[in-house]
Amino acid sequence: MSSPIPLHNTLASGTDWQAALRDLISSPAELCAALEIPPAALGWSEAARQSFPLRVPRAFVSRMRRGDPRDPLLLQVLAGAQEMQPAPGFSADPTGETGNANPHPGIIHKYHGRVLLIITGSCAIHCRYCFRRHFPYADNQNSRSEWSTALEYIARDESISEVILSGGDPLMANDKQLAALVTQIAGIAHVRRLRVHTRLPIVIPQRITESLLQVLTPSRLQSTVVVHSNHANEIDTEVAAAFARLRAAGITLLNQAVLLAGINDSTAAQVALSERLFEAGALPYYLHLLDRVDGAAHFEVDRAQALALHREMAARLPGYLLPRLVQEVPGAPSKLDVGT
């Protein structure tokens, strides 16, 4: 087997988040070499990779255990043969985000009082369980004039008090683009809160720059960043430092995770995640049952097992470290607490 490639270069370990973004692995052979794992043990599928490309920054790969084909971070990005097996009950739109919920390109409006803006279809990392892996991003791209129309939609609906930036990953947009959008959102009088759903502080913590923090903290809006971490091993010192910068800017910091078979479906893994999040400055918010998207059936944890796990977590954690166990059901007025 070839020698392992370096997991960091001088640019990726610095403050240039765009350089870190470019420093990624998209080849299964390269991933095998980096982790010193024989290709046969890795179990990747070229067909799955063609369906949904492999994409993982080296900074994230550096947190994986070398020589371990069952590493919980690796399994989240590995394009495996199980993705190609059809599964009853799984679909391209498991959360009902198309049709009436998508009234204008770039807008998803499912719940009262809040609306979600699809800023970009791009992500720094391709997570194999992604519920939007089949989302029609091409139909949800906006030109500058079309964004004005989307914002007019928000301005007309005075019930909307919160705007959520999502994607893809909204922080893939540059600061100038985000600043223009956030300024316009802040100019809508009935919008009081700004929320950002992002995995970039986990995957490329260099993205949390002083310039970005200024963008995300307009004086009139309360700002919340909801990060996405599924395992304690994802949160290293650089991620914790990014969290600290967010908190120092007055931003509320929450985490949402997905319950994933073979990755974090144990009491030990979930307790470690909640405790590590809190140590780094984020509160556990949601633990989602898997959204049943085509290609992700092998990640599903059944409802009874999830409930038993959540009860064990409750017995081990103080209430403020226990995330809500939730499920998203198409047509429901909100996320639903599992077991209630």
Side-chain angles (χ1 to χ4, degrees), residues 275-288:
E275 292 182 338
R276 181 66 184 123
L277 284 165
F278 189 65
E279 288 169 0
L283 277 176
Y285 176 41
Y286 281 145
L287 177 59
H288 289 265

Side-chain angles (χ1 to χ4, degrees), residues 84-216:
M84 307 308 295
Q85 299 173 2
F90 285 71
S91 71
D93 183 21
T95 62
E97 292 192 332
T98 57
N100 291 338
N102 190 197
H104 182 279
I107 286 182
I108 297 176
H109 193 185
K110 295 195 298 182
Y111 301 145
H112 176 78
R114 51 208 184 273
V115 67
L116 186 147
L117 297 183
I118 298 289
I119 305 303
T120 174
S122 299
C123 284
I125 188 170
H126 282 177
C127 303
R128 310 310 299 182
Y129 53 87
C130 177
F131 71 99
R132 289 199 186 121
R133 59 184 289 176
H134 305 294
F135 186 78
Y137 287 111
D139 298 332
N140 279 274
Q141 295 177 348
N142 281 323
S143 66
R144 182 174 299 179
S145 63
E146 288 170 329
W147 270 121
S148 296
T149 304
L151 291 166
E152 288 170 6
Y153 173 94
I154 297 171
R156 287 194 304 269
D157 188 343
E158 294 188 1
S159 73
I160 296 172
S161 59
E162 182 172 29
V163 174
I164 302 166
L165 307 186
S166 187
D169 195 307
L171 297 191
M172 292 286 282
N174 64 46
D175 292 349
K176 183 178 180 180
Q177 294 168 320
L178 289 170
L181 182 60
V182 171
T183 298
Q184 292 178 81
I185 292 169
I188 300 173
H190 53 264
V191 175
R192 302 192 303 273
R193 294 183 299 277
L194 177 72
R195 195 194 320 175
V196 180
H197 285 183
T198 178
R199 191 144 160 79
L200 265 174
I202 304 295
V203 178
I204 300 178
Q206 299 100 314
R207 179 64 184 101
I208 308 305
T209 61
E210 287 303 315
S211 173
L212 177 65
L213 293 172
Q214 291 175 17
V215 169
L216 297 182

Side-chain angles (χ1 to χ4, degrees), residues 49-106:
R49 178 193 173 208
Q50 292 299 321
S51 174
F52 187 43
L54 171 68
R55 180 184 177 93
V56 54
R58 283 183 177 82
F60 192 77
V61 174
S62 71
R63 299 171 220 164
M64 298 176 186
R65 296 189 292 256
R66 294 193 178 196
D68 182 3
R70 302 301 300 171
D71 177 80
L73 278 58
L74 170 63
L75 294 178
Q76 294 180 57
V77 302
L78 179 65
Q82 292 166 303
E83 293 181 35
M84 307 308 295
Q85 299 173 2
F90 285 71
S91 71
D93 183 21
T95 62
E97 292 192 332
T98 57
N100 291 338
N102 190 197
H104 182 279

Side-chain angles (χ1 to χ4, degrees), residues 30-52:
E30 196 173 6
L31 185 60
C32 288
L35 295 174
E36 301 176 352
I37 298 174
L42 199 59
W44 62 272
S45 164
E46 185 62 26
R49 178 193 173 208
Q50 292 299 321
S51 174
F52 187 43

